[in-house]
């Protein structure tokens, strides 16, 4: 599969080595010699799920014809082309990604042949409650100019005007991430913006440091992009420490994970954090993200930049959201700079998280699912906060709402199909069976009434066993045990006698090494045969006295089944209650997709963000927005090509025509009816 975002075309030597060792161990042990244990089995892309299944279930994949990735992907996945922010943050583009799963129950069942998934909500561990605080900042003038320059660089790269060794999209993306973190990472001669991420993080960290002085609570600050180099150049770590020290935090209470170069030094540093000697620890995901047990006093965590993988975010927050934390409530800060690469990074993180959550939670009741997971929705909220265009915010909100409504409708449809099956087949069968059993129980109850009258007279007793009539209770009980014991040597079941019109059939359960006696007239009643001769006769008597209660229970069960059938007939006739809401939101989503669509040539001349426009002729309140447009878009607004406003107007007219066509068609259908 080519030209699919997130699907790599290369292999790694260490992965091939792992695969060969897994196959070798499978040969030695019959497929039982390999165990993987991890907190984040799928951390970045859909390819990883196939790779893990290939390591652990290679023979199964081969038997099912899914050994090649293309076969596996065509069976379980679907590529989706959707509009997303361009990496330079100034427009939109269409991108094809893996974003949806089909045949989900089969995929989960296949994966769980080798995977035992235990999520946090299943384990219900005593972890602290997290309060997520999204700090959204406006970009400085310098950051705005830098983002514009990234757009121009991206245009040059796409047009082939520069060599890949001089400039490329990866380099632009990296520079964009640095710019979103702090403009001085691009050029340390630029001024320190007072409203930057770093300064707000320092302020929040200092406030918490002051508030928790009595308990000596600790904080973590994660930053992956700018690490201390000790070469005199600007880096975020030294900047944060110097500013905190200037505000009054003792330098010995601020530490970098990079300063602990050995395992011994790391252990000493972690002990200081747990004891409250070090109260602010800065680190990166690779060094501080996994295998770090310092949660004892942690009260806050700060995400200064956005990691590439959802597993990185999960590992970072796993340092504070774990057992052993003394604090019942903790704070997690996420810092986002508007109109920068932060929006794009949160979007990538969201796309990756969607499919991972769908597979790892296994909660979806439908065969196909997409962005409906709660974790993914929180990422979408952050992405919307980081995006300056209100249209894209509205589209993201609608995407979430429509996905939830579609899931609800699919669940409603599935339930309707189940009810139809119950009405047509299951309930009638159960009701018929209950009526037949009730009729038999009533006949048996009438037959046993004279028995209780006779049992008042101790001498009036008769039981036939093996063709012989016994009038003595103890002799009859002993003969019954002997008749049952004879079954083991001959065959496992057989008729042994009769009692008051009830035939008695005995059987031997070889697994449990027990004898059972079945009494049958209209209905069957089963008891276990013990070693006490008179005790067995008492058990038979208890069966007879319990028939009346079984009649009452079966009558109640029959009544319940008939009520369930009536309720099912009412429920199956009900339409989906939110059909109108779903229809309206899908229509509005189609309008937004048309407004945010790019031109036919597919270049970066996408919807700009500096012109002002109104959506005309809409049933809802008109929306206006303002923002920036890249230089290339301005240059494209020539007489030969329609301007941004012109494209907007065309989109509006097209949407209006489509809506009118739908309304006319609906009127015709109503007239015909």
């Amino acid at each position: 599969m080519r030209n699919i975002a997130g699907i790599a075309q290369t292999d790694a030597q260490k992965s091939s080595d792992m695969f060969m060792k897994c196959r070798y161990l499978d040969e030695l042990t019959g497929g039982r010699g390999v165990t993987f244990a991890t907190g984040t089995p799928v951390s970045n892309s859909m390819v990883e799920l196939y790779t893990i299944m290939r390591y652990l279930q290679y023979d199964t994949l081969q038997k099912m014809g899914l050994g090649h990735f293309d076969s596996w992907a065509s069976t379980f996945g679907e590529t989706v082309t959707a509009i997303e922010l361009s990496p330079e943050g100034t427009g939109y583009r269409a991108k094809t990604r893996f974003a949806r799963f089909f045949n989900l129950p089969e995929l989960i069942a296949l994966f769980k042949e080798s995977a035992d998934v235990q999520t946090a909500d299943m384990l219900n561990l005593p972890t602290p409650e997290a309060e997520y605080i999204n700090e959204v900042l406006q970009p400085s003038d310098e950051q705005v100019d830098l983002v514009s320059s990234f757009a121009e660089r991206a245009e040059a790269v796409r047009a082939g005007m520069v060599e890949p060794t001089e400039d490329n999209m990866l380099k632009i993306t990296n520079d964009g991430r640095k710019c979103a973190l702090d403009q001085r990472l691009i050029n340390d001669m630029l001024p320190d913006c007072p409203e930057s991420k770093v300064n707000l993080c320092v302020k929040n960290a200092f406030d918490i440091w002051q508030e928790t002085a009595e308990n000596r609570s600790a904080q973590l600050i994660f930053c992956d992009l700018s690490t201390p180099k000790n070469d005199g150049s600007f880096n975020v770590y030294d900047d944060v420490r110097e500013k905190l020290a200037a505000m009054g935090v003792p330098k010995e209470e601020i530490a970098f994970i990079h300063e602990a170069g050995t395992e011994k030094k790391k252990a000493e540093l972690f002990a200081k954090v747990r004891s409250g000697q070090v109260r602010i620890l800065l680190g990166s995901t690779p060094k501080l993200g996994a295998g770090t047990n310092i949660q004892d006093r942690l009260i806050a965590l700060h995400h200064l930049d956005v990691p590439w993988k959802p597993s990185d975010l999960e590992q970072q927050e796993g340092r504070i959201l774990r057992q052993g934390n003394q604090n019942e409530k903790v704070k997690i800060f996420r810092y986002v700079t508007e109109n920068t690469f932060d929006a794009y990074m949160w979007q990538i993180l969201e796309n990756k998280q969607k499919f991972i959550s769908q597979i790892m939670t296994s909660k979806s009741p439908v065969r196909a699912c997409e962005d409906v997971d709660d974790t993914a929705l929180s990422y979408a909220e952050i992405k919307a906060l980081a995006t300056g265009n209100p249209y894209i915010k509205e589209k993201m909100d609608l995407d979430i709402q429509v996905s939830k409504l579609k899931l609800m409708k699919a669940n409603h449809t599935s339930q309707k199909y189940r009810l139809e099956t119950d009405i047509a087949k299951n309930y009638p069968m159960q009701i018929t069976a209950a009526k037949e059993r009730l009729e038999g129980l009533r006949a048996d109850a009438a037959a046993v009434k004279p028995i209780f009258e006779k049992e008042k007279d101790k001498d009036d007793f008769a039981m036939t066993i093996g063709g012989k009539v016994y009038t003595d209770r103890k002799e009859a009980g002993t003969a019954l045990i002997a008749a049952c014991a004879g079954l083991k040597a001959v065959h496992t079941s057989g008729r042994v006698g009769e009692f008051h019109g009830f035939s008695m059939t005995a059987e031997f359960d070889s697994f449990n090494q027990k004898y059972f006696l079945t009494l049958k007239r209209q209905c069957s009643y089963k008891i276990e045969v013990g070693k006490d001769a008179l005790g067995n006769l008492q058990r038979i008597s208890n069966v007879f006295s319990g028939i009346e209660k079984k009649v009452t229970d079966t009558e109640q069960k029959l009544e319940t089944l008939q009520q369930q059938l009536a309720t099912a007939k009412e429920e199956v006739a009900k339409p989906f209650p939110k059909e109108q809401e779903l229809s309206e939101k899908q229509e509005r989503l189609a309008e937004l997709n048309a407004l945010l669509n790019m031109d036919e040539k597919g270049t970066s001349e996408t919807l700009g963000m500096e012109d002002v426009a109104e959506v005309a002729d809409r049933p809802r309140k008109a929306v206006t927005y303002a923002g920036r447009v890249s230089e290339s878009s301005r240059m494209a607004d020539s007489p030969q090509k329609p301007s941004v406003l012109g494209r907007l107007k065309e989109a509006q007219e097209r949407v209006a025509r489509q809506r009118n066509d739908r309304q006319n068609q609906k009127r015709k259908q109503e007239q015909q009816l």
Side-chain angles (χ1 to χ4, degrees), residues 605-608 611 633-634 636-650:
E605 297 167 10
T606 55
L607 180 62
D611 301 291
S633 294
R634 290 197 191 96
D637 292 344
S638 60
Q640 288 79 17
K641 291 187 178 181
S643 66
V644 172
L645 285 172
R647 292 198 298 275
L648 251 180
K649 192 171 181 181
E650 288 176 6

Side-chain angles (χ1 to χ4, degrees), residues 372-630:
V372 292
D373 188 82
D374 290 340
T375 309
L377 299 189
S378 69
Y379 291 140
E381 180 186 13
I382 297 160
K383 183 177 72 174
L385 282 171
T387 309
N389 187 340
Y391 274 176
I392 197 72
K393 287 184 186 178
E394 188 183 355
K395 173 178 159 48
M396 288 169 189
D397 289 339
L398 277 176
D399 277 335
I400 293 163
Q401 293 167 25
V402 168
S403 296
K404 283 187 173 181
L405 287 169
K406 280 183 177 178
L407 181 61
M408 290 168 66
K409 184 175 180 180
N411 195 18
H412 175 268
T413 305
S414 300
Q415 186 180 9
K416 187 175 179 179
Y417 290 152
R418 284 196 298 271
L419 287 173
E420 287 175 349
T421 304
D422 289 341
I423 291 167
K425 181 180 177 184
N426 296 338
Y427 284 139
M429 285 174 59
Q430 291 172 18
I431 288 171
T432 303
K435 284 180 178 178
E436 290 176 356
R437 180 166 174 76
L438 182 59
E439 188 179 338
L441 286 170
R442 283 172 175 165
D444 290 349
V448 298
K449 275 184 181 179
I451 297 174
F452 297 114
E453 296 295 329
K454 290 180 180 179
E455 286 196 351
K456 290 178 182 178
D457 184 0
K458 298 289 184 183
D459 298 329
D460 190 4
F461 174 84
M463 178 179 282
T464 305
I465 297 175
K468 183 179 178 181
V469 178
Y470 291 86
T471 56
D472 182 76
R473 292 174 180 276
K474 191 166 185 179
E475 288 180 3
T478 305
L480 179 62
I481 293 173
C484 291
L487 291 173
K488 191 174 179 182
V490 185
H491 46 76
T492 56
S493 65
R495 179 165 175 162
V496 295
E498 185 180 330
F499 184 47
H500 290 299
F502 286 79
S503 65
M504 296 190 296
T505 305
E507 63 178 323
F508 177 67
D509 184 349
S510 58
F511 182 78
N512 294 307
Q513 295 291 305
K514 291 180 180 179
Y515 292 98
F516 292 94
L517 185 69
T518 302
L519 293 97
K520 184 176 181 182
R521 195 171 179 276
Q522 294 291 328
C523 296
S524 299
Y525 313 91
K526 195 171 186 179
I527 62 168
E528 183 182 337
V529 179
K531 294 179 180 178
D532 185 357
L534 293 176
N536 290 328
L537 296 182
Q538 184 60 46
R539 291 179 185 179
I540 293 172
S541 179
N542 291 341
V543 166
F544 290 162
S545 61
I547 291 177
E548 199 63 47
K549 186 176 184 304
K550 289 182 184 291
V551 170
T552 306
D553 292 343
T554 307
E555 285 174 345
Q556 290 178 349
K557 183 181 178 183
L558 178 60
E559 186 181 348
T560 302
L561 285 169
Q562 288 170 337
Q563 288 176 352
Q564 288 176 340
L565 177 60
T567 304
K569 287 179 178 178
E570 290 178 11
E571 289 295 323
V572 81
K574 290 181 181 178
F576 178 53
K578 296 189 177 180
E579 185 67 48
Q580 181 66 25
E581 183 184 353
L582 175 60
S583 177
E584 289 175 359
K585 287 183 175 177
Q586 282 181 318
E587 186 178 342
R588 175 59 183 153
L589 191 58
E591 292 177 9
L592 287 172
N593 285 336
L595 290 169
L596 293 172
N597 205 358
M598 39 187 214
D599 61 17
E600 294 177 1
K601 291 187 177 180
T603 66
S604 61
E605 297 167 10
T606 55
L607 180 62
M609 297 177 67
E610 201 167 71
D611 301 291
V612 179
E614 287 192 2
V615 183
D617 191 23
R618 285 180 45 208
R620 284 164 292 281
K621 185 179 177 182
V623 176
T624 61
Y625 74 96
R628 293 177 198 85
V629 65
S630 65

